[in-house]
Amino acid sequence: MMHYTTRPAHPDDAPVLTTIYNQGISDRIATFETRLRTPDELLTTITNPRYPCVVASVPGHVVAFASTSAYRARDCYAGIAEFSVYVARAWRGQGAGTAVMHALLQAAQAAGFWKVLSRVFVENSASRHMLARVGFREVGIYEAHAQLDGVWRDVVIVEKRIVEKQNTP
């Protein structure tokens, strides 16, 4: 297994992160999005101080990224973040997703989140296995969640609690 360096994303990572994200869009394996993005559009994700975005790299190359975003607007959900993870085509299946997810979980906990969650296409077994390895649990399926290229797709809901529950009297 390859060794990856992880770190917070920087604004100058926008072009490579855009390439990686656009591969996920084009491959139709990881998102309902169909419109390719520009580096300027990803800057908001990279530079948002509330929601961590991290990268995994090998010497000279960023090969994966994972980011968080708002889950719901209600105050009671302020400690829950949605996440996305994307790996460059040439690096899929080589541990980059695992490395960047471990880094994202640490960054999300440091940012004050107690849980992260997402939805994964049911047939995306590579992502589902990777997420299970880093401790996510599958909690259900949204059937016919949305259409992609005119086809209804199901998604698996995944979550991981990153801070233990603490009840106060």
Side-chain angles (χ1 to χ4, degrees):
M1 195 63 73
M2 190 70 137
H3 175 73
Y4 299 94
T5 301
T6 58
R7 62 167 171 78
H10 302 144
D12 57 350
D13 294 322
V16 70
L17 299 192
T18 301
T19 297
I20 294 168
Y21 184 47
N22 285 341
Q23 288 174 356
I25 292 171
S26 295
D27 293 346
R28 302 298 202 255
I29 59 167
T31 180
F32 284 104
E33 296 293 340
T34 57
R35 184 180 61 78
L36 299 180
R37 298 305 196 260
T38 67
D40 285 343
E41 290 175 300
L42 259 66
L43 277 176
T44 303
T45 298
I46 296 168
T47 60
N48 187 322
R50 172 68 179 127
Y51 296 100
C53 179
V54 298
V55 301
S57 62
V58 295
H61 301 286
V62 170
V63 299
F65 77 98
S67 62
T68 54
S69 61
Y71 168 63
R72 298 280 189 267
R74 293 176 55 195
D75 288 345
C76 61
Y77 298 127
I80 302 172
E82 286 198 47
F83 76 91
S84 297
V85 57
Y86 293 90
V87 177
R89 278 186 194 121
W91 292 90
R92 293 177 189 159
Q94 299 179 54
T98 300
V100 79
M101 281 307 300
H102 281 299
L104 185 70
L105 293 171
Q106 291 176 345
Q109 184 174 9
F113 294 105
W114 63 76
K115 181 192 289 191
V116 293
L117 53 80
S118 194
R119 290 156 312 282
V120 179
F121 288 141
V122 170
E123 62 276 9
N124 190 342
S125 58
S127 283
R128 291 175 67 184
H129 286 92
M130 180 273 293
L131 292 169
R133 281 193 308 274
V134 297
F136 281 83
R137 68 185 195 112
E138 296 184 352
V139 296
I141 295 175
Y142 286 136
E143 295 179 353
H145 193 59
Q147 287 188 25
L148 179 61
D149 299 327
V151 177
W152 287 103
R153 302 283 291 271
D154 298 345
V155 293
V156 176
I157 308 154
V158 296
E159 71 173 7
K160 180 173 176 62
R161 203 171 61 229
I162 55 177
V163 173
E164 290 300 315
K165 290 189 283 190
Q166 296 179 354
N167 295 324
T168 55

